[in-house]
Amino acid sequence: MLYNVMLFFHILGTVIMFVAVGITLTSMIAMLHAKKTETLRDWASLAVKIDGLLPLSVILILLPGLYLVFSTWGWQVAWINISLAALVVMAFMGSAINLRRLKIILTTANAETEIIPSSSLLKKVQDRTLWNSVIIMTMLGIAILFLMTVKLALVGSLIVFAISIILGFIVSNIVLKGVSPSKFSSVNESSNL
């Protein structure tokens, strides 16, 4: 019975993590296409607030997960060790990269006085490091979910994580390639006329 309860909280943590990352990605995409500073500010505020769910999700994933490892699986299982390492990396990326940059975007948006976002603000929204981090975190989360289901050995687990990181960079490049800086400068120039 305790195993099933711990498994429930472990899965609940995973669901919360995906919800938080999904809302963060939605907010970032909305910021990327925002035509008004106020809209961008609202989405940035949501992204910063929702980031608070990520530490909760890590706790809900980690604590019951450790119980499951000690009570049933053990530390000899490669997919568990690789998934744990990825979760630690994701927790670090979330706080050290994502939250810090999202707060900078929000602070800059709060300081804006013009209706149309400035090119300085838009450059912060297009921060490649932020986009790489959030999308790689999303792909790592999917990779962990895949390994929880398929339970691959060491080589397979490492390949899954390598693929998830590569896909993260590819998707990030596709998203940012679709938004050219010239698009924003023409919006700003037309608003000055």
Side-chain angles (χ1 to χ4, degrees):
M1 170 85 171
L2 184 57
Y3 177 89
N4 291 333
V5 171
M6 290 298 167
L7 183 60
F8 165 77
F9 282 112
H10 186 66
I11 293 170
L12 179 63
T14 305
V15 170
I16 291 171
M17 181 182 68
F18 276 105
V19 167
V21 170
I23 292 172
T24 301
L25 271 173
T26 301
S27 299
M28 288 175 56
I29 290 168
M31 285 189 286
L32 202 58
H33 297 286
K35 304 247 187 292
K36 294 184 178 180
T37 304
E38 182 180 356
T39 305
L40 196 149
R41 185 182 305 121
D42 291 343
W43 284 108
S45 177
L46 177 62
V48 168
K49 287 176 187 170
I50 208 69
D51 196 72
L53 285 179
L54 289 173
L56 172 65
S57 71
V58 169
I59 291 169
L60 283 174
I61 292 168
L62 189 59
L63 294 180
L66 288 173
Y67 171 81
L68 298 173
V69 168
F70 284 116
S71 68
T72 306
W73 291 95
W75 291 107
Q76 306 82 7
V77 183
W79 67 267
I80 291 175
N81 297 328
I82 302 285
S83 296
L84 178 61
L87 184 63
V88 170
V89 168
M90 289 170 65
F92 171 77
M93 290 170 70
S95 61
I97 298 173
N98 304 353
L99 184 58
R100 193 171 64 93
R101 283 174 165 78
L102 289 169
K103 283 183 175 178
I104 290 170
I105 292 169
L106 180 58
T107 301
T108 306
N110 284 333
E112 291 273 317
T113 56
E114 297 296 322
I115 294 173
I116 304 297
S118 68
S119 60
S120 170
L121 175 56
L122 294 173
K123 284 180 185 172
K124 288 174 177 49
V125 171
Q126 296 175 30
D127 182 340
R128 185 167 297 280
T129 302
L130 173 62
W131 280 93
N132 284 339
S133 178
V134 171
I135 294 177
I136 287 171
M137 281 179 62
T138 303
M139 296 300 174
L140 285 173
I142 293 169
I144 290 171
L145 191 59
F146 178 79
L147 289 180
M148 286 173 59
T149 308
V150 178
K151 299 172 178 34
L152 295 176
L154 179 62
V155 173
S157 296
L158 291 172
I159 290 171
V160 166
F161 279 103
I163 290 170
S164 69
I165 291 169
I166 292 167
L167 281 174
F169 282 115
I170 291 170
V171 171
S172 178
N173 281 328
I174 290 169
V175 168
L176 290 177
K177 191 175 271 188
V179 181
S180 64
S182 61
K183 172 184 166 186
F184 288 115
S185 62
S186 65
V187 168
N188 285 333
E189 288 168 10
S190 66
S191 68
N192 294 332
L193 295 176

